[in-house]
Amino acid sequence: MKRLFMSVIGQSFSVSRTSRSRAGQAVSGHLFREGFLRRVNLWMLMAALLMTMQNAQAILTIEVTQGNDKAVKVAVSPFSWSGKKILPEDMASVVENDLRLSGLFAPLPRKDMLSFPSGAKDVVYRDWNILGASYLVTGQVKQEGATFEVDYQLFDIVRQKSILKGKARGVESQLRGLAHHISDAVYEKITGIPGDFSTRIMYVTADRKSVERTDYRLNYADADGQRQREILRSREPILSPSWSPDGSRVAYVSFESGRPAIFVQELATGKRQKLTGYKGLNSSPVFSPDGKQVALVLSKGDNPDIYVMDLATNKLSQITSHFSIDTEPDWMPDGKSLIFTSNRGGSAQIYQVGVNRLSNGTVVAEGKPKRLTFTGKFNARAKVFPDGKSMALVHKGQGAAEFNIAILDLDTGRLRLLTSARLEDSPSVSPGGRRLIYAVQGGRNGELGIVTADGRVKYRLPSAEGDVREPVWGPSLGAQR
Amino acid sequence: MRFVNFVKAAALSATALWLAGCASTGGESTSNVDTAPETVTEEVVIETTPVLDPAVQAVIDSGDVQASPEQIEQMLEQKTFHFGFDSSKLKEDDYKALDVQAAFLNSREGRGKNIIIQGHTDERGTRTYNLALGERRANAVKNYLVAKGVSPSRIEVISFGFEKPLDPAHNAEAWAKNRRAHIVIN
């Protein structure tokens, strides 16, 4: 152990020396920084080593497939750390990665940095200006007992001043969560829009061993693909998972008994309840915006229609009644109408129907369903944006067109294609509406894709466990991480 | 099925012994080969007298289907029915095979049996839309059998959408294989 430690220090010296010679060109005479750099580099290296170990365990990896050439340059200096042990997470790199994945920012590589400031007193604006950075994030981590505390700051390099100062506190297992919180704060300060980094994604992995056997898992993870946790494991299909609005419960379809049934499960306790197990389809559960009802699809052995289940009374109300396929419901943000897929017009298209909850828990449809999509041969699985002004859906145009993710503007009726891979499915919008996650089926293995709502930045999240599919973006976690 | 297997087995053993017989006429003979051909030839003749598979016999007895025992045998074996893209329409050629299935299910032999019809789709479109489409395919088969007199209470329909492809490849050939309804007789 000691020998390993020494060799790490040896490496750290050489790294530090490279940094010094560069730093020396820009700012001469700052000799005190050398010791500081040496220390920081050691921790950085240790953190990097730890990260590699962690990555070996991580199930989802991230590959940026299309970047933003107009991204704002931001520098996240490695956080200083005064604890005795190694800082268990390289928090600065978590923040850096979040900002990169937002699509708006291009983080400055660490190797290009001339110094690693940890607070206002170490910031040399001229250095950062030369490097072209518009913003700089610094942080200091301290430990007291089991509690870690981070003091972070955001600097505007052009105006040469600190524009945000904050503290975040938590135990070791929350360090990544604290880093995501810092990313949210930084993002909001610069853009004026709340960040969506303290969120989770849920998805299904399917490991096909043979024609007879596939192992399915329902998992959730941080929005950056890390900290994966398992919700359910089965030899039979699992699909169409959905989050409760507070992120504490999930609903999903499981074929574990050989037939489909809808379950609602509490994440903290693992306790679950079978919501429906009717003859025929039990499909596409989705919580209402107030969390009190679940819209779902039942065929009861006949043909599929949209229903709403009241969770307090277990009362089931039928919303649509048509001999065609009605499926894939989603709630408008005000909870006063549902959108769904129907082939009643001859091909799969999106419709909207008003719903009204009566005082006895019954929900009734109001008026006739109204068709919302008119372009293309196939429009399905629509998910409404949080502002209710547009929706993401799976779209297929005429002829040999593929199934791709598109956004429909509900005011103008204009449809905008976002992606262009083969066989895409299951779009889901992030809480702020700035990013979408979706499934890509057409490659060797099913992968997840994330695209910014403006279509500028795309990345993929392949899984080490076979196919990954059915992604759904969870709500903001707020204080609980 | 049982019938066919038996015929195959009998034919095989007969062939083997016939070959052995040829070898014996070729000259070098062993005591074994000398006596065997006679007995076995006899055996084959006895066993190929039409002892039909009870299922096939039941279909013939129903008088609902006009076809040779071999054709009925073959149609009884057909448990999978294929569909066009985004379609739940049965194909013309499948009606006769389904008539045979119905005749069997209505016969004394098949009357006590319940069936599951699985609906499957190809991977194009969304998973949840395909769950519904798979159910329509299975229902198309169910409705036909019900029209032919099979009680709906004996038929369960389960759609798997494209969760269980026969061929996981992403091409037209695989898609055609995967768009299917499949009958499982308990």
Side-chain angles (χ1 to χ4, degrees):
Chain A
M1 187 59 214
K2 188 138 200 177
R3 192 167 301 156
L4 175 70
F5 195 66
M6 292 305 290
S7 76
V8 167
I9 289 178
Q11 283 183 26
S12 129
F13 272 123
S14 68
V15 173
S16 139
R17 212 163 288 146
T18 327
S19 306
R20 178 175 52 123
S21 63
R22 279 211 217 147
Q25 292 167 6
V27 265
S28 51
H30 288 256
L31 281 171
F32 74 96
R33 288 166 65 199
E34 199 177 311
F36 158 76
L37 275 179
R38 196 173 298 161
R39 209 168 59 234
V40 168
N41 269 322
L42 170 61
W43 293 127
M44 259 183 62
L45 211 77
M46 297 297 273
L49 274 174
L50 259 157
M51 289 285 291
T52 341
M53 280 158 61
Q54 277 223 333
N55 276 339
Q57 293 163 3
I59 305 303
L60 294 175
T61 47
I62 292 191
E63 296 164 3
V64 176
T65 48
Q66 181 185 317
N68 176 4
D69 48 7
K70 294 198 181 96
V72 176
K73 254 195 188 170
V74 60
V76 184
S77 174
F79 291 2
S80 76
W81 161 242
S82 59
K84 288 190 193 73
K85 288 194 310 184
I86 299 157
L87 180 60
E89 290 285 352
D90 183 350
M91 296 175 72
S93 94
V94 174
V95 174
E96 192 182 295
N97 191 45
D98 281 347
L99 295 176
R100 175 186 303 115
L101 297 180
S102 76
L104 284 181
F105 296 98
L108 190 77
R110 274 186 191 170
K111 62 173 174 52
D112 294 349
M113 294 181 188
L114 303 171
S115 58
F116 294 144
S118 61
K121 64 173 173 40
D122 314 324
V123 176
V124 179
Y125 287 103
R126 205 169 35 145
D127 285 7
W128 299 106
N129 223 339
I130 287 167
L131 293 168
S134 304
Y135 298 93
L136 166 70
V137 181
T138 65
Q140 292 175 23
V141 190
K142 283 177 291 197
Q143 186 181 4
E144 255 196 54
T147 309
F148 292 74
E149 187 180 279
V150 194
D151 280 294
Y152 61 91
Q153 255 188 96
L154 173 65
F155 299 88
D156 183 326
I157 300 302
V158 180
R159 282 153 58 203
Q160 306 213 349
K161 61 183 224 185
S162 161
I163 55 171
L164 172 71
K165 246 179 141 163
K167 261 190 214 303
R169 226 176 267 120
V171 296
E172 187 174 323
S173 64
Q174 292 172 311
L175 288 176
R176 289 195 78 92
L178 299 182
H180 293 314
H181 167 79
I182 294 169
S183 308
D184 283 336
V186 165
Y187 185 91
E188 182 160 6
K189 185 66 195 176
I190 298 176
T191 66
I193 306 163
D196 58 12
F197 308 109
S198 299
T199 55
R200 285 167 177 164
I201 52 173
M202 175 162 52
Y203 48 88
V204 175
T205 60
D207 198 356
R208 186 176 160 113
K209 312 270 192 202
S210 68
V211 181
E212 291 85 31
R213 181 167 167 200
T214 300
D215 291 345
Y216 297 86
R217 275 175 210 186
L218 179 62
N219 298 310
Y220 68 101
D222 286 1
D224 61 0
Q226 299 291 315
R227 293 201 291 186
Q228 172 174 287
R229 275 151 284 188
E230 189 178 289
I231 300 169
L232 181 74
R233 185 190 295 221
S234 175
R235 290 275 183 91
E236 293 296 332
I238 303 168
L239 64 167
S240 70
S242 143
W243 291 94
S244 70
D246 66 357
S248 68
R249 288 168 298 162
V250 299
Y252 53 81
V253 174
S254 168
F255 279 72
E256 62 199 56
S257 67
R259 295 155 179 78
I262 297 174
F263 294 88
V264 170
Q265 184 167 331
E266 217 174 76
L267 288 184
T269 61
K271 226 166 64 185
R272 67 175 195 165
Q273 176 206 345
K274 192 190 213 176
L275 207 58
T276 69
Y278 288 95
K279 230 164 53 168
L281 282 188
N282 294 265
S283 180
S284 304
V286 54
F287 285 92
S288 61
D290 64 6
K292 292 179 176 163
Q293 292 148 308
V294 172
L296 45 89
V297 175
L298 300 173
S299 66
K300 299 192 173 177
D302 190 7
N303 76 289
D305 284 308
I306 310 293
Y307 291 75
V308 171
M309 169 82 91
D310 187 78
L311 291 176
T313 61
N314 266 9
K315 197 171 250 176
L316 191 65
S317 311
Q318 185 165 0
I319 304 301
T320 67
S321 180
H322 196 278
F323 55 82
S324 66
I325 291 174
D326 290 346
T327 186
E328 302 174 336
D330 193 31
W331 296 84
M332 288 301 272
D334 63 5
K336 290 181 177 155
S337 65
L338 289 166
I339 56 166
F340 60 98
T341 309
S342 177
N343 69 347
R344 59 185 63 197
S347 65
Q349 299 293 343
I350 307 300
Y351 292 76
Q352 181 177 17
V353 64
V355 287
N356 189 12
R357 185 177 186 274
L358 307 177
S359 53
N360 66 0
T362 312
V363 181
V364 291
E366 289 198 322
K368 273 196 172 160
K370 179 179 97 184
R371 185 167 165 176
L372 298 180
T373 50
F374 296 93
T375 350
K377 283 181 85 168
F378 182 94
N379 290 295
R381 213 169 186 176
K383 290 285 170 196
V384 186
F385 273 68
D387 63 5
K389 290 181 176 160
S390 48
M391 57 195 200
L393 47 81
V394 176
H395 170 80
K396 183 191 185 297
Q398 302 291 336
E402 278 293 340
F403 293 86
N404 292 123
I405 308 302
I407 294 179
L408 177 75
D409 184 312
L410 289 170
D411 283 337
T412 63
R414 253 217 329 258
L415 194 81
R416 182 164 53 90
L417 265 183
L418 276 190
T419 56
S420 57
R422 288 188 73 201
L423 298 166
E424 294 170 343
D425 188 6
S426 182
S428 176
V429 186
S430 77
R434 290 181 302 97
R435 293 190 285 173
L436 285 86
I437 192 163
Y438 58 99
V440 187
Q441 227 98 258
R444 211 169 58 83
N445 271 323
E447 295 180 347
L448 303 185
I450 290 182
V451 59
T452 51
D454 60 12
R456 270 201 203 153
V457 177
K458 290 187 184 112
Y459 43 96
R460 289 284 180 86
L461 296 89
S463 165
E465 295 176 340
D467 275 343
V468 57
R469 52 171 75 153
E470 300 288 278
V472 52
W473 213 308
S476 266
L477 294 172
Q480 52 143 324
R481 295 177 196 106
Chain B
M1 184 68 202
R2 267 171 285 148
F3 169 70
V4 157
N5 279 346
F6 185 78
V7 170
K8 276 183 198 157
L12 258 172
S13 56
T15 314
L17 287 157
W18 175 76
L19 283 172
C22 288
S24 76
T25 48
E28 296 164 43
S29 67
T30 65
S31 55
N32 253 351
V33 181
D34 279 339
T35 49
E38 273 173 311
T39 21
V40 171
T41 323
E42 231 175 314
E43 223 180 350
V44 169
V45 171
I46 292 164
E47 297 301 343
T48 43
T49 47
V51 176
L52 283 182
D53 180 86
V56 177
Q57 192 62 58
V59 171
I60 293 171
D61 293 347
S62 75
D64 291 346
V65 182
Q66 302 309 317
S68 70
E70 288 74 23
Q71 286 171 318
I72 289 172
E73 171 84 40
Q74 209 173 13
M75 285 189 277
L76 266 177
E77 285 294 298
Q78 192 194 338
K79 299 281 197 309
T80 305
F81 304 89
H82 292 275
F83 296 83
F85 173 61
D86 201 6
S87 163
S88 50
K89 254 200 206 113
L90 283 164
K91 289 179 176 153
E92 210 55 52
D93 331 342
D94 292 333
Y95 290 134
K96 203 155 187 193
L98 283 169
D99 287 342
V100 172
Q101 297 292 347
F104 169 69
L105 290 168
N106 290 329
S107 72
R108 194 180 302 164
E109 189 72 19
R111 211 169 285 157
K113 298 186 191 298
N114 290 335
I115 65 167
I116 292 175
I117 307 174
Q118 300 177 343
H120 300 273
T121 69
D122 68 30
E123 62 182 351
R124 289 176 296 166
T126 66
R127 280 179 193 278
T128 28
Y129 183 78
N130 276 309
L131 274 184
L133 182 60
E135 188 180 55
R136 286 188 96 92
R137 288 183 178 153
N139 273 331
V141 172
K142 174 183 171 176
N143 293 341
Y144 189 82
L145 293 177
V146 170
K148 293 286 168 182
V150 182
S151 162
S153 63
R154 294 169 57 198
I155 307 175
E156 183 182 10
V157 160
I158 302 175
S159 171
F160 290 96
F162 63 89
E163 300 306 311
K164 300 199 170 195
L166 285 177
D167 183 344
H170 311 296
N171 56 47
E173 198 187 329
W175 294 334
K177 266 189 242 171
N178 294 334
R179 290 189 299 265
R180 68 202 194 275
H182 181 69
I183 297 177
V184 181
I185 297 179
N186 288 333

